[in-house]
Amino acid sequence: MKIPLRAVVLLVLTGLLLSQSVRAQPMPGIPTSPDPTGINKGRFIGVVVSTAAFYTITLLLLKKQWYKKRVPFHTFNDNREWLQMDKVGHVATAYCMSRGGYELMRWSGVDERASILTGGLLALLFQTTLEVYDGHADGWGFSKGDMLANVAGTALFVGQQYGTGQQVVSMKYGFRKTIFPPYRPNLLGKTTGQQMLKDYNGQQYWLSVNLASVLPVGERFPRWLNLDVGYSGSGMIGGHDNPVVFDADGKEVKFTRYRQFFISPDADLSRIGTFSPSLQRFIGTVQFFKIPAPSLEFSRVKGLRFHPLILPKE
């Protein structure tokens, strides 16, 4: 169960971003502040020191608390686990870490191309280090699938930023409570906070597309309007298969594992022109959670369903 570690890393990185006054991302039709004229030494040193401290301290804590028993380096094929929800999670985490690193570099005055490269490399460095740790961990192993997902998430950010100068497609995260954790609380989480990291049934990952950036729309079209395509899974209380579990009356309970696909409108708050340029970029960086909105869901088990606002508990 390795993805929670990436999720913790993402939350910590978001905390670092919250402590910074990040500059705004340039967007069509929205006034922005000029690019930095040079590196701000104070900010740059602060970012470098904070990033190095974050990297070192986090890995030391993980090594002490999580990777206690070391074994010879080995690989592990977990590509069929959790209906690939963990792999999508790796993509989203690598994307957000790349974007966070980029924004910190830009805030420090580093030029655009160097900031893009630095953000991507920082994300890959951290994710690769964790994969190497996994390769020496008893019960896990180095996952080629995880590494491919890490590269894909980094490439999603880097490719767009190099090619278009903005994030036309971003990745977001959603969560809902489910009925599954009580059957395996140690694996899926005992508290809501733990379940947000461990219960793949409750997680959704969204590709959020800014419509004004991909469609020939007029000036009055809302630049903040996005369309999101989401993915999730349900009925999972084990990685590959579900173990035998019983309810409070001692009766065996069986769950059907299936994939869920969603489509929903969304808002990119960083593109709302009434915000200041610095607030626009800050919001774009930390807006990782999907805003509740009406959605359509399709699955082979429950067919087509409409959800008015928040996805129901399952």
Side-chain angles (χ1 to χ4, degrees), residues 49-282:
V49 171
S50 298
T51 302
F54 162 75
Y55 176 81
T56 303
I57 294 173
T58 303
L59 292 180
L60 287 175
L61 290 174
L62 289 175
K63 185 175 181 180
K64 180 179 180 180
Q65 299 295 327
W66 204 272
Y67 299 103
K68 295 181 180 180
K69 185 177 180 180
R70 291 177 59 85
V71 298
F73 185 84
H74 61 287
T75 60
F76 176 67
N77 187 348
D78 60 350
N79 295 335
R80 296 173 61 87
E81 291 189 355
W82 303 107
L83 297 179
Q84 291 75 53
M85 278 293 293
D86 61 325
K87 297 297 175 284
V88 182
H90 275 269
V91 175
T93 303
Y95 170 84
C96 291
M97 292 189 73
S98 298
R99 186 168 182 174
Y102 159 82
E103 298 290 10
L104 285 176
M105 290 295 105
R106 290 298 284 151
W107 177 76
S108 303
V110 178
D111 68 69
E112 175 75 3
R113 297 180 71 86
S115 295
I116 296 171
L117 181 62
T118 302
L121 289 177
L122 285 174
L124 284 179
L125 171 64
F126 201 95
Q127 297 290 74
T128 302
T129 303
L130 292 183
E131 291 303 327
V132 172
Y133 273 25
D134 287 340
H136 288 283
D138 185 31
W140 299 328
F142 182 92
S143 171
K144 296 178 182 178
D146 286 354
M147 275 305 306
L148 181 60
N150 294 336
V151 172
T154 300
L156 177 62
F157 170 78
V158 171
Q160 290 186 93
Q161 202 64 34
Y162 266 130
T164 68
Q166 62 174 322
Q167 294 299 296
V168 177
V169 179
S170 57
M171 293 204 70
K172 296 186 178 181
Y173 166 86
F175 176 77
R176 60 178 170 183
K177 296 276 289 184
T178 73
I179 63 173
F180 305 105
Y183 293 96
R184 300 196 74 187
N186 291 333
L187 182 64
L188 303 180
K190 298 178 181 179
T191 65
T192 299
Q194 292 176 349
Q195 291 164 12
M196 290 181 69
L197 304 178
K198 294 183 175 183
D199 184 10
Y200 291 117
N201 304 282
Q203 299 174 10
Q204 307 94 43
Y205 291 100
W206 302 81
L207 274 178
S208 184
V209 182
N210 181 250
L211 296 179
S213 298
V214 298
L215 298 177
V217 297
E219 290 295 326
R220 294 188 177 183
F221 188 86
R223 303 289 162 175
W224 49 264
L225 183 61
N226 281 22
L227 183 66
D228 292 8
V229 178
Y231 174 67
S232 186
S234 187
M236 302 175 290
I237 57 174
H240 289 93
D241 301 293
N242 292 341
V244 177
V245 293
F246 302 90
D247 62 17
D249 298 324
K251 297 181 179 179
E252 183 178 349
V253 181
K254 295 183 179 180
F255 298 111
T256 300
R257 302 163 67 95
Y258 62 95
R259 305 175 192 275
Q260 298 169 295
F261 303 92
F262 304 90
I263 187 169
S264 173
D266 195 11
D268 184 347
L269 300 180
S270 67
R271 295 177 184 261
I272 296 179
T274 55
F275 293 138
S276 66
S278 59
L279 187 56
Q280 285 174 323
R281 171 165 283 178
F282 171 77

